[in-house]
Amino acid sequence: MSNLLEVEDLTIQYKTRDASVQAVTDATFSVEENQFVGLIGESGSGKTTIGEAILGLMDDNGEIASGKVRYKGEEIQDYSEEEFQSKLRWSEISLIPQASMNSLDPIDPLDQQAIELAKTHTDWSKQKILTRLQELFEIVGLPADRITDYPFQFSGGMQQRAVIAFSLLLDPEIIIADEPTTALDVIMQDQIFKYINQIKDENDTSMILITHDISVVFENCDTMVLLHSGHIAERGNIKEIYRDPRHPYSILLEESFPDIRSPDKSLAIIDGKPPVIQEGVDMCTFAERCPWANDDCFDELPNLEPVAGDENHYTSCIRAEELDALVEGSDVAGDD
Amino acid sequence: MIEMTAEPVLRLEGVDKDFSQANSILGSIKNRVLGRDVEQLHAVDDVSLTLRRGEVQGIIGESGCGKTTLLKTIAGLHEPSKGDIIYRGENITEYTTKEWKEYRKNVQIIFQDPFNSLDPKYPVKEALAEPLKIHDVDDIEDRVVNVLKDVKLDPPERYLDRYPDELSGGEKQRVAIARALVLDPDLILADEPVSMLDVSTQAAILEDLNDITTQQDVSMLYISHDLSTVSYICDRVNVMYLGRIVESSETRDLLDEPLHPYTQELMAAIPVPDPFAERERTQIQGNPANPIGLPGGCRFKDRCVERMDICDTTPNDIETNDQTEHQVACHLHYDHTATDDVAVSANGGDGHE
């Protein structure tokens, strides 16, 4: 498999009146063909910013300070708005934005919105666009004859599925989905992921799934990138990270999730919140919340290094090798 | 401690809440004048439950099942269309203005969204002092400081002068909980109190709510769509579908042995934090129907994988386990051969004719 998208040492800053905030620091990861990558973190971890940066959609005060984003080998981080629009958005990489139920235009019927979208990026005929939209409606479990409805005629879950259909309209290689099911209840969430996985199998699509929900990533993704304060804590195959987590944040996050199979599991609590990072961060971003931090953790920002014996598994914890023993000697991780 | 013998804090008896479908006052007058029979939307349908002192009960269901409407009806924000809401032995629909004020002091709400439920222009101490002023309570300063300690915003001095935008999501929700607690209520109505929070904070808030209800002897109704959190907070769980409670039992018993096919689906749809787990996806399609002009019979029948002919008859609650008062409204659990004990409505009506 080859890399479709490569993010390399990406650092993103937002300028505010008083200072500049470093939302993302030296992030490196890639997305292969037909691969689902989970981008996980709490509020303020920089996960949405990375998704926006890939498509050139950051707010005006945000900028890529350093690093590269390559799509099919071509550097795209310096694309102009016009280039993003004509070469990349929707046709190559599409976005399911956060709270995307609100991203549909309330005053146009859905088929008109699809036509406008497709005409901007392709030379498809109207008939071709509508046929394609009907096919996609069926894939996501919506009645094909309802493409002429207005968004308000749909329930929240149906709107969400319509947005997913739109994201597939121009047959993109990658979909960036930002919390696609967070506003929905569990049954609707389960239905949506059923369709999303069907799309993966049938269309060879890749996805960057942005979420705070580790169980959704464990069930649907191939690899994961765990962010804390804009810095990657751990990255690798989901099964590998589940079996052998090499960062305290991964361990605690896993332990903080309720599991319906074991209602007595005691939930870990991660104290504090991710710090806001300013330029030139010089300590581990997780050190202040970490039960196993020592003085060295406050000395410098650790690099993301491969875990011995597994070239696809990376951690930025300097105590990764001792972690097993450290966790053993504490009661932070609940027994289930 | 749950007191089993004492008078319950809250008792609902056959509570209905219907909404008129007319979209304006004029429209509704016109319908009445013309004698038009407009279908009502049955948001809450024949709900009964008993909440004891110190007890926490969950009301769990999908979006649109009527759980928030039920909560608002109990809070007095809607008037029930039918049935009785009995608070400490008195029917709240017969309250005088003075009694309403007392009720609003004793019954407090925690909303889902801490980002919108706090006034951005009020610092923490003002937000917490406001209800005390309205109800003419003394020792405002002491009470505010103590309640902040109760919700683990400690030391309180660090938080008193902060505005909501200087607080994290979890801290905001703690302030919202403190605001509900500051009047020393005996009933808290919590509408999805952790669903907007990061999971790292969720566990801590659940633990605190648990401590508070246990130590201060407060009862709580906990509303959520997610069964995975109920074991951390609820003594008892009610599963609601299209306005009706379809199953009710002690939490552990319900999770160990869910009887209603809907409860089983709600549990099966929850993602599991384990990449090696082989979970089957939900078999239910689409959304619940609109609760307008529904035919008789079980409300869940159209989405139920176990559907039988008898499901066109409305199932009543039956008790399957008296130890845990496990009740379920599903024909699968009836003995339909025992003719003298058929626990179904005689004519298949759904109680609204």
Side-chain angles (χ1 to χ4, degrees), chain A residues 31 58 70 160-161 225 235 239 259 281 303 310 314:
Chain A
V31 181
M58 277 184 299
R70 278 188 223 94
Q160 188 69 14
R161 281 182 278 172
V225 177
R235 193 187 89 200
K239 289 185 173 165
D259 184 342
V281 49
N303 287 323
D310 184 353
Y314 285 73

Side-chain angles (χ1 to χ4, degrees), chain A residues 11 22 61 126 256 260 307:
Chain A
T11 295
Q22 195 150 302
N61 65 339
K126 205 170 150 182
S256 70
I260 192 73
V307 171

